[in-house]
Structure formats: C-alpha cells, structure tokens
Amino acid sequence: VRKELMAEAAASEQGLTAEEKDQTFPEDEGAAAPSVSGVYFICPLTGAVVRKDKKEKHLREAIQAYFSVDPVAASIMEIHTFNKDREKVRAGVETMAKYLDNIYLHPEEEKYRKIKLQNKVFQERINCLEGIHRFFQAIGFETKTLPVPGQGKKIQVTEEYYVLRDDMLTRLEDLKGYKEQLLNSEPVRAQLDRQLCVFKPSPEAARFELPNDFYNLTAEEIKREQRLRTEAVEKASMLRTKAMREKEEQREMRKYNYTLLRVRFPDGYILQGTFYARESLSALYSFVREALRDDWLPFELLGPGGLKLTDENLAFNECGLVPSALLTLAWDTAVMADIQASREEQPASALKPELLSRVQTLS
C-alpha cells in the first residue's frame, strides 16, 4: 500500500543522474574503474534506491510525505527512526502509553485528558523526542492555555496543556490502538541493496577496486592504508607474537563497514553482491540460493585458499572476507553424481535464466 501511494516519489528517486555518477568515485585520470560504484540502500516506504550519503535525507522526505496518508503512523515513524538514543525512546514511549492508558481506563476523569507541558516528567521524557508533538496532534490532542487553579483573581496565572478533544472520547478503542502501535513499532531502516551482478567467466575475478563508501575511514586514512599495503610483504615476514597479531586483526575488522563478495561457480560464472561487514555467512548462503535455478541443490562455499566456510553464524569480518573476497562454490558431489546418472538434460548454468539474461563482462 505504501509503495502504491508513494510511487511518484519512488520514480523521482530511482537511478542516478550523470552528475551523481561522476561524483560517485572521483578517481584520478587513468585509474581503474571501480568494481561497484558505491553503497546503495532501498527505502522501505518508496522502494527507491538511493546512495548511502542520501539515505537519511530520503527517509525524512518519505516519512514527511507519508503524513498525508496516515499522520499517526508517520509521527510514530519519526519518533522511532530519528531519535537515536534507544533508551530515551523507550522511556518516552512508555510514559506516553501510561497517559493513554489512563484516558482509556478512566474516560470520565477530566484530569487524565489534560497533560501539563511544563510537568517535569513530560519535559524530561517526552518533550525531548523528535516527532512526539506531531503524534499528540495526530491522535487528537490540542494545545491550550489554561488558568492555574487556586490562584487569586488579581493575577491570572496560566500554563500550557495538551488537552484531548471531546470527540476522541467516542473513539477510545482508536486511542488504545495508537498506544499499541507506538509501543510495538520499530525504526524505519533502509535495506542494503545487494546490487546483484552476474559476470561471465573472467581471469579478472580476483581483482577488486572499491569506492570509499566501503571504508570506515577518512579519505586521508584510506590513502595511508593503501600506502601501508605496499609494505605488507615485509611486515608479514617479521616475527610477531600471537597477541600482536590478534590486536592487528581486530583493528583490521573495524576498518570496513561493507564488503563486496564474488562467488565463482564451477562453470566460471561469477555472482557478485554487497554486504555489511558484520553480516553473517548465512546471508551469503541465502543470497546464492536465491540466485539458483534449483535452490534445493546442496553446496558449500570455499574462501581464499580453499578454506571451507561451514559456520554460517560467523561474520564476514571474522572470516577475513572484508573489504572484498572471491569465493568458490562447490556442489555436493554425491547429489551431482545422482543428477548426472539420471541422464536428464541439464541446463547450461545453475543460475536463474533471468540473471543470465543480463550477464556482464568484468572489465
């Protein structure tokens, strides 16, 4: 439903302009083309694919546009998505839920329908949350200036309140639903776009040129790392203690946010995708299965050096598969022998035909 309602926004965001492509990877003239132009995300509200550096802006615009569709849902998205301190969100949401519970359980009590804005609890737990005031407005509260009871007639003291509109007393079940929606919602997260590619067999499969998006480093730090790599052979020959090696490995793991992985099939075809560096191997196994014509075929993945990657719970950066790696797919020999013995004509490739129809050549 959301995608249909916001199709126009999606259409305007899909793809990159020529100018954006030029800015994606500003390499020196003559440098090798990048293996992937950058890191991209899919907006769950619009379906648009956007660059990493435009993800937050696009999410804000998408949620803002959703106010015309469902103001309550949009304000809840704001609360959960743009307040980064999860503990503050939890405290604020639970306090808001208590306000609504009191109204729902005691609709005849006028005091529960008024919330003083200068109240200490309100200021500390609720007022600090982005999106919370739009939530109040969306569920039927109005801002009113009311006199403070018990004051003298000569000096009229007033205070600001949120006051529930009278018509909402006939919609108490709606209020209960809004409370549950507020409590059970999660942040809106853009999904990492795998940028799936299939390449023809190529001797260039092990060569990677990565854009800066893949590094958790500044441009200057990246240049320094590239310089240090030229010294790696000499460094590897030095005698180092186990503790030194482990410390160095931990530092390496933190350098990368993403990894570009290629899986080479026995027939030479290459499947490529982008992953978070901290994702588990299970994500890669799922990625490969989804690309197969027959997803039931058993296989295993071998890392550099032929190491079997059998523990699917391990993260890529724990396996040394960052910031890029070429893996090899090996079929289960017994199953493949049975298939061949059946004498049925086998397809040219195990990959889905729709993927092979857009196969590319590695440059």
Side-chain angles (χ1 to χ4, degrees):
V1 175
R2 292 177 181 174
K3 287 185 181 179
E4 291 174 2
L5 291 164
M6 304 184 71
E8 186 176 342
S12 66
E13 290 287 344
Q14 288 285 0
L16 298 175
T17 65
E19 182 181 356
E20 287 173 324
K21 287 179 180 178
D22 289 341
Q23 294 173 352
T24 298
F25 198 76
E27 289 289 339
D28 296 332
E29 190 174 348
S35 302
V36 64
S37 60
V39 175
Y40 296 85
F41 290 84
I42 304 168
C43 175
L45 295 177
T46 66
V49 177
V50 293
R51 275 189 59 83
K52 185 181 78 167
D53 57 357
K54 295 186 176 180
K55 178 183 65 171
E56 290 300 319
K57 179 175 181 290
H58 180 85
L59 274 180
R60 282 189 177 277
E61 291 173 350
I63 291 175
Q64 177 61 39
Y66 203 69
F67 269 92
S68 64
V69 178
D70 187 338
V72 175
S75 61
I76 290 174
M77 288 180 204
E78 281 192 324
I79 292 167
H80 283 279
T81 304
F82 300 128
N83 296 288
K84 302 305 180 185
D85 188 328
R86 302 309 302 161
E87 182 56 33
K88 280 188 177 181
V89 172
R90 184 196 61 79
V93 163
E94 288 181 356
T95 302
M96 188 72 211
K98 288 178 183 176
Y99 287 151
L100 297 180
D101 265 341
N102 285 335
I103 296 170
Y104 180 77
L105 296 172
H106 310 284
E108 72 286 351
E109 293 280 354
E110 185 183 356
K111 65 179 181 180
Y112 290 128
R113 305 199 298 271
K114 295 191 299 184
I115 301 170
K116 186 164 68 173
L117 271 61
Q118 292 306 312
N119 177 282
K120 184 180 179 183
V121 171
F122 184 91
Q123 287 295 318
E124 290 180 353
R125 297 187 185 180
I126 292 183
N127 193 53
C128 60
L129 295 179
E130 180 177 349
I132 196 72
H133 294 290
R134 301 229 269 184
F135 177 71
F136 270 106
Q137 294 163 9
I139 66 173
F141 280 89
E142 297 174 322
T143 307
K144 290 189 176 182
T145 302
L146 301 176
V148 177
Q151 299 294 321
K153 295 183 179 179
K154 291 183 179 180
I155 303 175
Q156 186 67 60
V157 180
T158 60
E159 288 184 320
E160 293 288 319
Y161 286 81
Y162 269 129
V163 181
L164 188 69
R165 295 197 316 266
D166 290 341
D167 63 286
M168 291 304 297
L169 291 177
T170 63
R171 298 171 53 194
L172 292 176
E173 288 302 319
D174 286 350
L175 279 184
K176 185 180 180 182
Y178 298 151
K179 182 204 75 171
E180 295 300 327
Q181 195 176 343
L182 180 66
L183 284 172
N184 298 321
S185 291
E186 295 289 334
V188 178
R189 300 288 188 219
Q191 180 185 355
L192 181 65
D193 183 16
R194 297 293 187 205
Q195 298 185 76
L196 185 153
C197 294
V198 177
F199 297 108
K200 295 176 183 177
S202 170
E204 299 293 322
R207 185 176 66 82
F208 292 87
E209 297 291 338
L210 298 177
N212 294 353
D213 284 358
F214 277 73
Y215 298 85
N216 192 23
L217 302 168
T218 65
E220 288 301 316
E221 288 172 327
I222 291 171
K223 289 179 182 177
R224 178 176 175 274
E225 290 298 328
Q226 290 171 340
R227 188 175 68 252
L228 290 175
R229 283 184 186 181
T230 62
E231 305 167 9
V233 176
E234 294 178 17
K235 190 174 181 181
S237 63
M238 294 170 57
L239 184 63
R240 290 175 292 158
T241 66
K242 181 181 179 183
M244 288 171 64
R245 288 196 302 274
E246 288 178 350
K247 185 176 180 180
E248 208 165 90
E249 287 168 2
Q250 290 294 321
R251 189 174 69 87
E252 284 293 317
M253 283 170 55
R254 290 192 295 269
K255 285 180 187 175
Y256 311 107
N257 289 325
Y258 310 95
T259 184
L260 186 64
L261 299 176
R262 289 175 181 162
V263 176
R264 181 156 51 194
F265 283 68
D267 58 8
Y269 279 101
I270 300 155
L271 183 68
Q272 176 178 289
T274 302
F275 297 81
Y276 287 108
R278 293 175 179 82
E279 276 188 271
S280 64
L281 281 167
S282 61
L284 179 60
Y285 272 90
S286 297
F287 176 72
V288 173
R289 285 191 193 97
E290 289 170 7
L292 296 178
R293 184 192 299 261
D294 299 309
D295 60 6
W296 59 268
L297 285 173
F299 64 89
E300 60 183 5
L301 297 175
L302 309 177
L307 178 67
K308 289 186 179 182
L309 302 172
T310 54
D311 187 350
E312 294 190 28
N313 293 316
L314 285 176
F316 296 123
N317 57 7
E318 292 176 319
C319 306
L321 301 179
V322 291
S324 58
L326 173 64
L327 302 96
T328 302
L329 181 142
W331 301 116
D332 183 289
T333 53
V335 171
M336 295 310 288
D338 288 343
I339 292 174
Q340 290 172 357
S342 68
R343 295 183 180 179
E344 293 180 9
E345 187 176 347
Q346 300 302 313
S349 173
L351 291 165
K352 289 179 177 177
E354 58 265 33
L355 296 182
L356 293 173
S357 68
R358 51 191 177 97
V359 68
Q360 303 174 44
T361 301
L362 265 176
S363 56

